[in-house]
């Protein structure tokens, strides 16, 4: 009996791979239909070509794949970022193609206020680097706008505070664009409201605002998150109408405050900034009117006095016209003789031209020119025929020569290619032999240098019977004078070292031999000293 026939078969059903994967998928989805997972985003690369987003959530001990479908990704308030710690809400499912499980995310939020603040700071720096918060983009708020646009909730206390403050200071035409100031759609509604006010045409049925107020009451950081969204900040920075931000209380700061043309601590403060006090303005205008009337009166008096002084200094009509009248009389007296001289001069010129014209009769000149023209025509016809025949002959010769040169060039180019190929092969062989010879020469030189180093090194010297003597401090003893009696020394030989003590009397230091006197010259009849 073989081994397979001895295995128990039982009544267990057979599963296909697809059936087993489907059963596992249903089991996991039923057990984990709704979960909230906290972890750090890893491997985020943005949406793929289909618009879906794939990444992982991890902590110190585990990792789980995550997916956000295209439709859900467009509605997310918090966009995924690499390394961001988040709380993901969704369901657990399986992917049969990889035999793995994953979480399908429906919503995403930062894990704690600290992470949210870090996310907002990173967003602020990125938008500031694009220049959206630059002072050069700021617009001046009009002193007295005719129409004020307000983007806020129509049911809150904010709009009532703004309208009440405007009524007290200077009643103006107010347009309210109702939006949600909190919730998932709040950011998109605020951005659309700002863009909508800017899209109103000048002189249309609905008046275009001169200034826009974006207002909301105070709240926590999560309550004000809509005014930190990138879409709101970009809409505020792109607004062609001056925009005032009045979000939260005085201590609250949102990203729209940096992009707005003016930031006010409260909605009431925004109403005070966009309009002046009517009574103060009317008093100021009345004071300006009085000052203007007094200034005009004083200016009129001063101009009248100046005019009288200038009138007294002006000369009379006779005094002004006497000199020009005299110059006119002198010019009239000289005009008649000058006209007669001019007429005589032109008459002489005309007579000279008439004599020259008679000497050169047009009929004679025309006949001569016709004869010359006929001769030129005959010469030109003959020259044309000769030129055409010569050019045809030269073209035929040039065509034959061109064909010959082309054949020679093809042969020369082929021979040149063969010569260059043979020369390249020869150069390659010579380079290989030269490189091998140079390599052998350098190897031999390296071996010689190494042998020389070994022969000149201290180990080689010690092996020939020499020794190194050091004192207690390890310094070399280089002279007999340094070896005092009783002094401990260390003597190093080729195969080791040992200690020794100097004994006996003071060392006998050999005196240097006296130098020989230099001989000035050789003796007579003897050979000179070489030293």
């Amino acid at each position: 009996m073989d081994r397979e026939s001895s295995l128990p078969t039982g009544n267990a059903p057979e599963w296909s791979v697809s059936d087993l994967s489907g059963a596992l998928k249903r089991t996991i989805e039923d057990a984990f239909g709704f979960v909230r997972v906290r972890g750090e985003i890893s491997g985020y690369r943005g949406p793929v070509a289909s618009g879906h987003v794939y990444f992982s959530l991890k902590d110190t001990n585990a990792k789980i794949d995550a997916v956000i479908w295209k439709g859900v990704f467009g509605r997310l308030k918090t966009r995924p970022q690499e390394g961001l710690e988040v709380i993901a809400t969704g369901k657990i499912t399986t992917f049969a193609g990889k035999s793995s499980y994953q979480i399908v995310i429906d919503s995403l939020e930062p894990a704690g206020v600290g992470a949210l603040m870090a996310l907002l700071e990173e967003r602020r720096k990125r938008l500031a680097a694009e220049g959206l918060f630059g002072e050069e983009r700021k617009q001046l708020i009009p002193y007295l706008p005719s129409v004020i646009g307000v983007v806020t909730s129509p049911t809150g206390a904010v709009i009532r505070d703004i309208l009440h403050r405007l009524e007290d200071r200077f009643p103006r035409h107010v347009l309210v664009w109702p939006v949600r100031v909190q919730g998932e759609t709040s950011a998109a509604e605020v951005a659309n409201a700002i863009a909508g006010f800017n899209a109103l045409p000048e002189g249309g049925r609905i008046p275009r605002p001169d200034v826009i107020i974006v207002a909301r009451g105070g709240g926590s950081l999560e309550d004000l998150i809509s005014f930190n969204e990138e879409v709101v900040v970009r809409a505020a920075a792109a607004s062609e109408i001056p925009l005032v931000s009045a979000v939260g209380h005085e201590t609250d700061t949102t990203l729209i405050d940096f992009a707005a043309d003016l930031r006010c601590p409260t909605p009431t403060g925004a109403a005070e900034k966009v309009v002046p006090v009517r009574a103060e303005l009317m008093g100021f205008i009345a004071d300006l009117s009085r000052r203007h009337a007094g200034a005009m009166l004083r200016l009129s008096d001063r101009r009248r006095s100046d005019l009288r002084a200038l009138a007294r200094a002006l000369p009379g009509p006779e005094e002004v016209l006497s000199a020009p009248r005299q110059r006119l009389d002198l010019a009239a007296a000289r005009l008649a003789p000058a006209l007669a001289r001019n007429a005589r001069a032109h008459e002489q010129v005309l007579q000279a031209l008439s004599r020259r014209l008679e000497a050169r009769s047009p009929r004679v000149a025309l006949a001569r020119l016709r004869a010359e023209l006929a001769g030129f025509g005959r010469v030109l016809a003959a020259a044309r025929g000769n030129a055409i025949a010569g050019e045809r002959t030269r073209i035929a010769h040039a065509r034959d020569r061109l064909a010959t040169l082309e054949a020679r060039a093809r042969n020369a180019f082929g021979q040149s290619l063969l010569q260059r190929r043979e020369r390249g092969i020869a150069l390659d062989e010579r380079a290989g032999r030269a490189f091998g010879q140079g390599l052998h020469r350098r190897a031999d030189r390296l071996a010689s240098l190494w042998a020389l180093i070994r022969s000149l090194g201290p180990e080689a010297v010690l092996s020939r019977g020499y020794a190194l003597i050091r004192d207690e401090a390890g310094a070399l003893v280089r002279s007999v004078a340094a070896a005092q009696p009783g002094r401990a020394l260390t003597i190093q030989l080729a195969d080791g070292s040992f200690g020794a003590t100097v004994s006996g009397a003071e060392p006998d230091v050999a005196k240097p031999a006296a130098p020989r006197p230099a001989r000035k010259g050789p003796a007579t009849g003897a050979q000179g000293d070489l030293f």
Side-chain angles (χ1 to χ4, degrees):
M1 181 183 297
D2 58 3
R3 186 169 178 267
E4 292 184 358
S5 60
S6 62
L7 293 177
T9 57
N11 296 323
E14 293 183 354
W15 294 78
S16 67
V17 176
S18 299
D19 293 340
L20 182 58
S21 298
L24 291 174
K25 180 180 180 69
R26 289 189 296 273
T27 302
I28 291 178
E29 289 180 352
D30 291 341
F32 301 97
F34 178 83
V35 293
R36 285 170 58 86
V37 180
R38 179 169 183 161
E40 178 183 331
I41 294 178
S42 174
Y44 178 71
R45 296 295 182 269
V48 297
S50 62
H52 308 316
V53 179
Y54 301 94
F55 55 93
S56 299
L57 293 174
K58 69 175 184 178
D59 55 16
T60 56
N61 298 318
K63 177 191 290 188
I64 183 174
D65 293 336
V67 59
I68 304 177
W69 303 128
K70 177 181 178 181
V72 177
F73 183 74
R75 300 193 303 267
L76 288 180
K77 293 171 57 178
T78 301
R79 294 301 175 92
Q81 294 185 18
E82 180 70 19
L84 180 65
E85 187 176 5
V86 296
I87 298 176
T89 303
K91 66 178 181 179
I92 303 297
T93 184
T94 63
F95 178 55
K98 293 175 58 178
S99 299
S100 62
Y101 65 93
Q102 61 188 10
I103 177 172
V104 179
I105 297 176
D106 294 329
S107 64
L108 206 63
E109 58 186 285
V113 177
L116 183 58
M117 290 297 293
L119 177 63
L120 295 181
E121 179 63 17
E122 186 275 335
R123 184 179 298 167
R124 184 190 69 79
K125 292 180 179 178
R126 177 166 51 83
L127 296 178
E130 296 181 17
L132 299 184
F133 303 153
E135 290 297 328
E136 66 277 2
R137 299 174 60 96
K138 306 294 184 183
Q139 305 180 72
L140 295 177
I141 305 301
Y143 180 72
L144 185 60
S146 300
V147 181
I148 300 174
V150 181
V151 179
T152 188
S153 173
T155 59
V158 171
I159 186 61
R160 293 194 296 272
D161 293 342
I162 293 176
L163 294 177
H164 179 70
R165 197 58 178 164
L166 292 176
E167 187 70 24
D168 290 344
R169 292 175 66 86
F170 206 122
R172 296 278 86 189
H173 187 188
V174 178
L175 293 177
V176 179
W177 195 301
V179 296
R180 292 183 178 89
V181 294
Q182 186 174 341
E184 293 185 2
T185 61
S186 172
E189 292 183 13
V190 173
N192 292 334
I194 297 173
F197 273 137
N198 280 270
L200 291 176
E202 296 282 354
R205 185 175 61 86
I206 300 177
R208 179 184 173 94
D210 299 316
V211 65
I212 300 174
I213 299 176
V214 179
R216 187 203 188 283
S220 63
L221 180 61
E222 289 78 5
D223 296 334
L224 304 178
I225 193 64
S226 299
F227 298 92
N228 290 307
E229 293 294 336
E230 184 174 342
V231 63
V232 175
V233 177
R234 292 190 181 277
S239 175
E240 298 178 357
I241 302 174
L243 188 138
V244 179
S245 171
V247 178
H249 296 306
E250 187 169 358
T251 57
D252 296 327
T253 302
T254 56
L255 295 184
I256 193 176
D257 296 336
F258 298 100
D261 300 301
L262 178 65
R263 189 253 178 180
C264 294
T266 60
T268 305
E272 295 176 354
K273 289 289 185 180
V274 296
V275 295
V277 178
R278 183 175 183 180
E280 295 177 358
L281 182 59
M282 293 179 66
F284 180 66
I285 293 175
D287 181 60
L288 288 179
S289 299
R290 289 191 298 270
R291 293 170 60 188
H292 181 264
M296 290 298 296
L297 182 60
R298 291 190 297 273
L299 179 63
S300 178
D301 293 340
R302 186 169 64 251
R303 295 290 173 82
R304 190 179 293 109
S305 300
D306 295 342
L307 183 60
R308 292 194 187 100
L310 292 173
R312 287 193 296 270
L314 288 175
E318 291 297 331
E319 185 179 355
V320 173
L321 295 176
S322 60
R325 186 182 290 118
Q326 186 177 1
R327 289 195 298 270
L328 180 61
D329 293 340
L330 294 174
R334 293 195 300 267
L335 180 60
L339 287 175
R341 288 193 301 271
N342 187 42
R344 285 195 299 271
H346 282 81
E347 184 178 2
Q348 294 174 0
V349 173
L350 182 60
Q351 291 175 357
L353 290 176
S354 178
R355 289 192 296 269
R356 291 176 62 187
L357 184 61
E358 290 177 356
R360 297 181 180 182
S361 174
R363 293 187 181 90
V364 176
L366 184 60
R368 186 174 64 251
L369 291 175
R370 284 177 178 172
E372 291 178 357
L373 182 62
F376 287 153
R378 289 190 296 273
V379 173
L380 181 62
R384 179 183 177 186
N386 296 332
I388 292 175
E391 288 297 325
R392 287 176 178 173
T393 303
R394 282 194 295 271
I395 290 173
H397 290 325
R399 186 177 298 157
D400 297 337
R401 185 179 180 185
L402 180 62
T404 304
L405 291 176
E406 184 177 2
R408 291 179 181 177
R410 284 197 299 268
N411 296 334
F413 182 74
Q415 294 175 1
S416 176
L417 286 180
L418 291 176
Q419 293 174 358
R420 291 182 180 180
R421 181 180 179 185
E422 293 173 357
R423 184 180 179 184
I425 295 172
L427 288 176
D428 183 58
E429 294 175 354
R430 290 175 60 189
R433 290 193 299 271
F435 179 78
Q437 294 172 1
L439 188 63
H440 286 304
R441 286 197 301 271
R442 284 172 173 77
D444 296 337
R445 185 179 179 186
L446 180 61
S448 301
L449 291 175
W450 178 246
L452 181 60
I453 290 172
R454 293 185 59 183
S455 64
L456 297 179
E459 293 83 0
V461 175
L462 293 178
S463 65
R464 291 198 295 270
Y466 291 91
L468 293 176
I469 303 175
R470 302 179 186 272
D471 58 11
E472 298 88 345
L476 289 174
V477 177
R478 301 179 181 274
S479 65
V480 177
Q484 300 297 328
R487 191 169 185 179
L489 302 176
T490 302
I491 301 174
Q492 181 180 352
L493 300 177
D495 57 349
S497 60
F498 60 89
T501 303
V502 179
S503 61
E506 292 289 329
D508 185 12
V509 181
K511 295 182 180 180
R516 291 184 180 181
R519 299 186 63 180
K520 295 183 179 179
T524 304
Q527 184 177 354
D529 191 353
L530 295 176
F531 301 98

